[in-house]
Structure formats: C-alpha cells, structure tokens
Amino acid sequence: MQLKFFPLSPLLLALGLTGCQLTNNDAENAQLESNEKAALEACSVLHATEDAIADCEVARDGVIDVVHPNDDVLEDVADATETPEITTEAVITDVWERASAKFALTIPDDARVTAQKKWYLKHPEYMSRVVKRAKPFLYYIVEEIEKRDMPMELVLLPIVESAFDPFAYSHGRAAGMWQFVPATGKRFGMDQTWWYDGRRDVIASTQGALDYLTYLNKMFDGDWLHALAAYNSGEGRVMRAIKSNKRAGKPTDFWNLSLPRETRAYVPKLLALADILKHKEEYAFAWPEVENVAVIKVVDIGSQVDLAFAADLAGLSLKELHGLNPGFNRWATSPEGPHRLVLPLDKADAFSQALAKIDQKERLNWVRHTVKSGDSLIKIAKQYRTTVKVIKQVNELDGSMIRVGQAIMVPVALQELDSYSLSQEQRLASLQNSSSSKQKVRHTVQSGDTLWDIARKYKVGTKQLAKWNGMAPGDMLHPGKTLVVWLEGKSDGGITKQLTYTVRNGDSLSRIASKFNIKVADISKWNGLNAKRYLQPGQKLKLYVDVTRLNSSG
C-alpha cells in the first residue's frame, strides 16, 4: 500500500490536519517551535499567494507534523461496520447532535478561535474525511465520556490530535488517535510490547486519555482549559506558566498564559470545532452525520489468535479486522493480552460462538523446528517472527539452552507476512518503499550509530531521515536495524539498480567509479569507506548504478 503524507499544502492539510500530545520533557516541548516553523516555511514555498500562505499558517497552528499512513484502509473499516436500524424511541438520531447538546464550555470572542473557525469553515472536505474515520468508534467514545460526566467537547479532541486516525504518528514520538508519547502512554495503562501498542488500541487509548484528562482537571482545580493545555504541552509547563503569571500579578486563565505557539492554538482549535458543530445551521456547515447507535462490540477471545484466522472466522477481510484493532503490531494478538477484539456489532455474537468451539492451540498455526548447529532461541524467534518469551512458554523451557536435534514448537503466521499489511513490519516496509525519484540506499546500523551521525554521513536532514523510517529524531538505534536513505539521483528516466561488486586485484575507487559511471564520493558514502584506506581483493561494495548508462568497456 502506498503511504500518504499530508504535511504541507492547505488542500492536503484539509485531509490530514492533526495535533500532537507532548511529554513533560522541556527538550521535546522546546522542539515545537522549530517543527512549526519548518512546516510553515515549506507550505509557504509551495503557495505564493498571500491568502494561501495565511491559510498555511492557520492550518499549522496547534499542530506538529503527523503522518496518516493508512487512510484508504480506515475508509474500508468504516464501510465494514453496518449501522443497525434506529428504533422509533430514539429521539436524537445523530451522535454528533447528541454530543453537541451537552456542550458546556464557554466560547470566547477571541481572535485565535475566530481564525481557527474560519479555517474549518473554509475546508468542509476535511471534516468529511475525519468523520468517515471516526464513524466506527465515535459512539463508543461518546458513551465513555458520558459515563464519566466529563465535558462532551472532549469527543472533538481526536480531531485536533490525529484527525481520528488510530494509525497516525508524529515525529515527536506520539502515536494513535489520542497521540500519546511512550512514557505518558505507559503511565496511563497503555502497554507497549513487541506484539502490541496500546496507544493505537482505540479502547485502551480512549480509557487512558480520559483517565489522563481527569487527572489533569483535578490538578488544575477543575479548569478544563488548563487541563487541555497540559494534555498538549505537559502539566509542568502549564503549571510554571500559571506560577509565573501569579508572581507578575497577571491573570492566570488560559488566554493570558505564556505557552508554546502550538498550545496557544490547540485549545482554540477545539473550541472552534465545538462552536461550529453546535451552530452548524447558522454557519451553513455540512457536518456529516453519524447514526446514534453502537456499531462495534468488544469481544473476549481468551487467548492469542492469528489475525488472519480471526478475520476469516468473523467474515471480514484481514485489513478490516486489523483496522478495527490497530493496537496489534504483528500477525497475531499479543500472547500476554489484551485478549479481546473489536468487531462489527452484527458479526460479534456469531464470532464468539464459533471461537468458543475452537481449542486455543488451534487458533494459531504451528511448525516443528528441529534445532541445528548454530541455532539459538533468538535466531529461531527472528526466523519465525515471534519472541523468545513465547517459544520458552510454549515449550516449557526454563532457560535459553537448547541442543542440536531438539524439537521445538513455534507459532507462525497463517498467511504470508506481507498479507498482514497493517502490521508494524509491513507499515514500515510500505513507508520505506514509497515511490521516489531519488536513489534509495539501505544503511545497516552499527554499534554507536545515531540518526545524527547517519544523516551527516549521507548529507540529509535528521528529521527527514527519521521520517523516511517511521521514527522520531530522538529514538535509539539498535545495531543491525536497516534504515532507508533517499539520495539525490538521476531523474532522466534511467533505471537505478543496487549491485554488489567484488573488488579485484588492481581495483581502485576511481577505476570502479569510471566502470559504472558513478562518483567516487558516492561509492564511499554508500559503503562507509575511508578514502585513505586501500581496497582489498574480495571486498564487497554496494553500488547504485543506472543500468541504462553503464560504460560499454569491461
């Protein structure tokens, strides 16, 4: 699947405008301004008219760069959930109308709110896109907010955060519909393991977000605007801004606090959306309706299950099932839980009944692996795309010692791994294989490597390198990880291929460069060579060669 990025133009922003939650870490918070400035400058380069540039600026306010890699899948998921007929007893048939009837936050006459309101009113196509993503989960979220007697305006927060996209991620390390960074996610009950990331699980992240907002509201003595600002920029930053104003004898309400630019626009975005939804007739704004009925059900599955097996049992495509359960990173649910699946309401009961008749061991596919010389549990786990812990549990192994000839049972995917297109591996592969007119270089991370070092080596930006590889600039690198680097290459219609060249006696960098019509500097860059060191016969070199322009000699 080809990934889609929406960071720049106003038109594209209409399809992917989002925000991002931050940690309490001041260094991450300080990075906001540079992120926003870079995005705005890029947008302004593409759009030269005064109105378009102003549009860019408003659109970028209150957000950082967030990627939506799976838009088409999310539309398929919305189509997979059928709406039951609404009974005549139901007075309100639109869940948005049900939510807006309980809006209670004051909408001030403030320039920031007005600016955001103008942007949303100018881009109705954006809301159409967002509501289609929200459709499977909206009723559930409204119900959960209602149970806690929290401000119903909070149902709009995923619009500001991620445009209701559970697969959204930002290069501030935030992920999911509610855009949690790793530390805050763990703090509020979202496990993050090899198998599962609770930040993308709509059920877990919604509970965590409401828990966090309840905590923040209590911390700020019931002031919801302070709580929302803290959700975006961290409670420490907001608390310091309040204390600073107190010392200076200034008002301490949200509108008078000195906060990062993103946060200053973040709350106005939510209030602007609330005002438009509450008064959509007055604004003549076609806010798409969503039926006020449940369309999903959470089903207890009791054990690990292959997602392809579960999809077939539920009568769904694998993409549809994974789209409803985006927290699962791999080809199966996590062996440690949560042991649940979100399913369309009309399919849930039949699935539960069918699953109950199937033994837990038959819910996965198994292979019998005979240990060979050189095998280790780590090697076997990598071979079959599972974990050492799972292999040890299944085979009741106390330690990591295995012997040649020993038979080990290993759970494996039912289908080819590329069939699980929404797994973490396949999403990354899709991202790294995105079409580009540039040359693609693969860099294998060595011990001690950092993104900054690698970016400097290839003369690319650290943020760009991170984005190409679905990472945050501050992420740790592990030796052996493969990164993709896109370099400026030939764009004259040539065909670039990666070749492995074996150095021969008498070879030099200049001779090889001449042979393949490439540059010495490029060979050195692709292979991390020190120009002062001699090549050795038998040495392997990676070359990226335009095969349509090879010299005929040799």
Side-chain angles (χ1 to χ4, degrees), residues 214-265:
T214 299
Y215 162 82
L216 291 171
N217 180 250
K218 185 175 180 180
M219 169 179 278
F220 291 101
D221 300 321
D223 190 314
W224 277 108
L225 298 194
H226 284 165
L228 287 164
Y231 187 92
N232 176 253
S233 64
E235 56 257 43
R237 180 179 285 277
V238 176
M239 194 65 79
R240 288 193 297 273
I242 291 171
K243 289 179 179 178
S244 175
N245 276 25
K246 281 183 178 177
R247 285 194 300 269
K250 297 179 180 178
T252 58
D253 61 281
F254 166 79
W255 306 100
N256 285 284
L257 296 182
S258 177
L259 294 168
R261 176 179 173 178
E262 179 189 335
T263 310
R264 292 197 305 272

Side-chain angles (χ1 to χ4, degrees), residues 274-315:
D275 190 50
I276 293 170
L277 178 55
K278 181 77 173 178
H279 304 101
K280 59 184 179 181
E281 289 82 9
E282 296 173 30
Y283 289 115
F285 187 81
W287 193 296
E289 294 186 3
V290 175
E291 283 83 351
N292 187 27
V293 289
V295 293
I296 58 171
K297 184 176 182 179
V298 180
V299 175
D300 182 10
I301 56 174
S303 69
Q304 187 180 29
V305 62
D306 187 303
L307 291 174
F309 169 84
D312 186 60
L313 200 63

Side-chain angles (χ1 to χ4, degrees), residues 404-423:
V404 174
Q406 181 178 354
I408 291 177
M409 297 302 294
V410 186
V412 295
L414 184 63
Q415 296 185 11
E416 293 294 329
L417 289 177
D418 58 5
S419 299
Y420 301 80
S421 59
L422 297 184
S423 70

Side-chain angles (χ1 to χ4, degrees), residues 485-510:
V485 186
W486 291 97
L487 301 176
E488 294 295 339
K490 301 176 179 65
S491 56
D492 54 1
I495 302 172
T496 300
K497 299 284 187 182
Q498 178 181 331
L499 306 178
T500 300
Y501 178 80
T502 303
V503 176
R504 304 171 184 173
N505 281 320
D507 270 345
S508 65
L509 288 178
S510 60

Side-chain angles (χ1 to χ4, degrees), residues 47-321:
H47 303 281
T49 70
E50 188 173 331
D51 286 348
I53 293 173
D55 226 22
C56 289
E57 186 163 2
V58 173
R60 292 308 311 167
D61 272 347
V63 301
I64 69 171
D65 197 12
V66 177
V67 178
H68 301 277
N70 302 103
D71 273 351
D72 52 345
V73 169
L74 292 166
E75 291 183 15
D76 291 342
V77 170
D79 293 337
T81 53
E82 294 185 7
T83 304
E85 289 186 12
I86 300 175
T87 61
T88 54
E89 287 84 1
V91 177
I92 298 178
T93 59
D94 177 14
V95 73
W96 288 116
E97 185 182 346
R98 169 186 171 185
S100 65
K102 297 188 176 181
F103 285 176
L105 295 181
T106 301
I107 312 294
D109 183 13
D110 182 90
R112 282 177 278 177
V113 176
T114 301
Q116 299 301 334
K117 203 184 310 181
K118 284 181 178 177
W119 192 92
Y120 287 120
L121 292 171
K122 190 175 179 181
H123 297 90
E125 70 278 12
Y126 165 70
M127 198 56 63
S128 297
R129 188 90 168 182
V130 168
V131 172
K132 189 153 192 178
R133 292 196 200 112
K135 187 177 178 181
F137 310 111
L138 186 63
Y139 182 89
Y140 168 79
I141 294 172
V142 168
E143 288 274 300
E144 294 305 306
I145 294 172
E146 211 167 55
K147 286 177 188 175
R148 297 173 182 240
D149 195 27
M150 298 173 78
M152 194 51 74
E153 287 89 344
L154 298 180
V155 75
L156 301 169
L157 199 57
I159 299 180
V160 180
E161 284 289 347
S162 69
F164 263 103
D165 183 356
F167 286 104
Y169 66 89
S170 75
H171 302 292
R173 302 187 69 201
M177 184 180 290
W178 295 90
Q179 287 289 283
F180 276 97
V181 293
T184 313
K186 289 176 183 176
R187 184 177 157 200
F188 287 91
M190 282 155 268
D191 292 336
Q192 294 152 59
T193 67
W194 188 81
W195 291 98
Y196 169 79
D197 189 338
R199 297 175 301 159
R200 291 199 313 273
D201 180 333
V202 176
I203 306 301
S205 64
T206 296
Q207 297 299 328
L210 298 184
D211 287 346
Y212 187 27
L213 287 161
T214 299
Y215 162 82
L216 291 171
N217 180 250
K218 185 175 180 180
M219 169 179 278
F220 291 101
D221 300 321
D223 190 314
W224 277 108
L225 298 194
H226 284 165
L228 287 164
Y231 187 92
N232 176 253
S233 64
E235 56 257 43
R237 180 179 285 277
V238 176
M239 194 65 79
R240 288 193 297 273
I242 291 171
K243 289 179 179 178
S244 175
N245 276 25
K246 281 183 178 177
R247 285 194 300 269
K250 297 179 180 178
T252 58
D253 61 281
F254 166 79
W255 306 100
N256 285 284
L257 296 182
S258 177
L259 294 168
R261 176 179 173 178
E262 179 189 335
T263 310
R264 292 197 305 272
Y266 179 87
V267 173
K269 275 186 179 293
L270 185 134
L271 295 178
L273 286 166
D275 190 50
I276 293 170
L277 178 55
K278 181 77 173 178
H279 304 101
K280 59 184 179 181
E281 289 82 9
E282 296 173 30
Y283 289 115
F285 187 81
W287 193 296
E289 294 186 3
V290 175
E291 283 83 351
N292 187 27
V293 289
V295 293
I296 58 171
K297 184 176 182 179
V298 180
V299 175
D300 182 10
I301 56 174
S303 69
Q304 187 180 29
V305 62
D306 187 303
L307 291 174
F309 169 84
D312 186 60
L313 200 63
L316 297 170
S317 72
L318 185 49
K319 283 184 180 180
E320 287 170 343
L321 180 71

